[in-house]
Amino acid sequence: MIPVPHPEHGVENLCAAGTELYARALREGYVLGVDAKDAPCLLDFGLLHPAVTDLDRLEPVAPAVALHRMLRIAEERIADERQREARLTETFEPLMRIDGRRTGTEDSSMISVLSGIDMISRVIGQAVAAGSELLAVQPNTSDRHAQPPPPVHVEAFDRDQALLDRGGRIRTLYQHTLRHAPSVVARYERLHGDVEARSLDEVTERLIIVDRTVAFIPANKDRTLALEIRHPALISFFVTAFDRLWRLATPMYPEAVQQPTRNGITPRQRAIAALLVEGHTDAVIADRLGMNIRTARVHIAKLATTLGSESRAQLGYLIGQSGILGQEDTGE
């Protein structure tokens, strides 16, 4: 009989055989190597490793250690995606200006400028009303200016609920700073259907994709201008970027997963620490993580206190020495 190949999957979607075997290894302290033939993913993901004293035995890596390691890898992938996004924008922006001066061509209709908040809302609403899938990135802009998040928008809520009632699906990415925002919590308390939300330390600018055929992005800082994009190549890029960030993000609805505190350092403080060692100012750190500068400085002060730092220069050195940004965690 030809053996059935093991299905490909990510560590966030651990297969049933892998979950069962990993749980048994945790309970019993080890499993035999022959037992892992139906779940090779555990070795691939580093969740099992050969015992030093007996290579026929496979011992489990502690779940907390594995989680910390994978979260760090995820953070590095997010940084790579942001750099790729910046390079792509730098490449295409001058080309889009050239294209914008052309008229009467098929390509020019694939990127349209929407002017005014009312028009932007109306066009997005029309697209969602006819769609069956909504992918969205919602960065936290209100907290950067010490303003509370806006209340749940009634029209947007009704529009999204109507899409769900038609059997559609909604996936939204937020920044961690919005995980407990009252308006966001209220939204998911009311929505019913195939709706999920996840969060990251850093996300892209606001992005809405409907049915993977049309996307909307801001065209200026105050969001009174937007681009409606239907070009297949750009849509493919946006969808790929969203899907990759989604796989790296932390679930927040319908089932919330909390990132662990490590050695007294919270996940948000680790994100700030990573930006500090890169040499960013408080203002840049606050903007990147979707918080106001006073909040960022409070977290920096707490981080300095935890690490025993007395100066900004010493803080950077202590962050490097502490190992809180390392890929692996020894659990000590």
Side-chain angles (χ1 to χ4, degrees):
M1 179 181 293
I2 299 176
V4 178
H6 189 71
E8 293 186 5
H9 60 80
V11 66
E12 71 280 3
N13 295 315
L14 199 59
C15 63
T19 301
E20 181 179 352
L21 186 62
Y22 185 45
R24 178 155 66 91
L26 290 171
R27 288 193 300 268
E28 300 177 3
Y30 72 93
V31 293
L32 296 177
V34 68
D35 295 333
K37 66 180 185 304
D38 294 328
C41 54
L42 296 180
L43 289 168
D44 295 339
F45 296 143
L47 297 178
L48 293 179
H49 62 82
V52 175
T53 57
D54 186 350
L55 297 181
D56 291 332
R57 291 187 177 188
L58 298 176
E59 296 180 343
V61 173
V65 173
L67 177 60
H68 293 159
R69 180 186 304 151
M70 293 170 188
L71 287 175
R72 181 55 186 165
I73 293 173
E75 291 168 1
E76 293 182 347
R77 290 175 181 170
I78 293 169
D80 291 341
E81 285 297 320
R82 289 183 63 87
Q83 292 174 3
R84 185 169 183 264
E85 175 192 351
R87 291 195 299 269
L88 187 72
T89 300
E90 183 180 353
T91 300
F92 276 85
E93 187 175 20
L95 300 175
M96 290 171 62
R97 287 198 296 268
I98 296 173
D99 187 66
R101 293 194 292 267
R102 300 168 59 222
T103 59
T105 67
E106 181 180 355
D107 285 344
S108 64
S109 65
M110 293 186 177
I111 302 178
S112 305
V113 178
L114 306 177
S115 180
I117 294 176
D118 290 341
M119 174 177 284
I120 294 170
S121 298
R122 183 170 63 253
V123 175
I124 292 176
Q126 291 170 348
V128 175
S132 60
E133 183 187 59
L134 174 62
L135 308 177
V137 177
Q138 298 288 359
N140 186 8
T141 57
S142 56
D143 190 49
R144 299 174 191 176
H145 307 289
Q147 297 290 332
V152 176
H153 195 291
V154 175
E155 292 181 1
F157 173 82
D158 291 342
R159 175 198 69 195
D160 293 349
Q161 186 59 60
L163 182 148
L164 295 171
D165 290 342
R166 295 194 301 272
R169 55 179 283 182
I170 296 177
R171 301 290 182 267
T172 306
L173 282 168
Y174 296 93
Q175 286 182 277
H176 288 326
T177 47
L178 284 175
R179 285 181 71 88
H180 305 292
S183 63
V184 176
V185 173
R187 168 180 169 82
Y188 291 99
E189 286 178 346
R190 297 174 58 194
L191 283 176
H192 301 285
D194 188 0
V195 56
E196 292 184 42
R198 298 183 180 184
S199 66
L200 293 161
D201 282 312
E202 297 183 61
V203 295
T204 65
E205 260 296 352
R206 184 161 295 171
L207 170 66
I208 294 175
I209 307 171
V210 180
D211 285 351
R212 307 188 181 222
T213 58
V214 57
F216 302 88
I217 61 174
N220 61 356
K221 289 185 178 180
D222 61 8
R223 293 191 171 88
T224 57
L225 291 176
L227 296 181
E228 177 185 6
I229 301 171
R230 296 181 180 272
H231 196 291
L234 292 177
I235 295 295
S236 177
F237 170 76
F238 291 143
V239 170
T240 299
F242 181 94
D243 287 343
R244 289 180 179 177
L245 292 176
W246 181 260
R247 289 194 295 271
L248 301 174
T250 302
M252 57 181 281
Y253 183 87
E255 294 183 1
V257 173
Q258 301 298 328
Q259 290 184 299
T261 295
R262 188 192 320 172
N263 298 331
I265 307 298
T266 67
R268 186 172 299 181
Q269 289 168 356
R270 288 203 298 274
I272 290 175
L275 295 175
L276 280 172
V277 298
E278 292 177 10
H280 296 296
T281 64
D282 294 355
V284 171
I285 291 172
D287 186 71
R288 289 271 295 268
L289 299 182
M291 61 181 68
N292 64 65
I293 193 168
R294 286 177 295 177
T295 302
R297 285 171 176 165
V298 168
H299 284 295
I300 292 172
K302 291 180 179 178
L303 180 63
T305 299
T306 301
L307 296 179
S309 172
E310 298 179 356
S311 68
R312 185 70 168 242
Q314 186 185 27
L315 179 57
Y317 171 80
L318 291 176
I319 289 172
Q321 291 296 308
S322 69
I324 62 175
L325 301 182
Q327 289 190 15
E328 297 187 1
D329 193 309
T330 62
E332 299 179 353

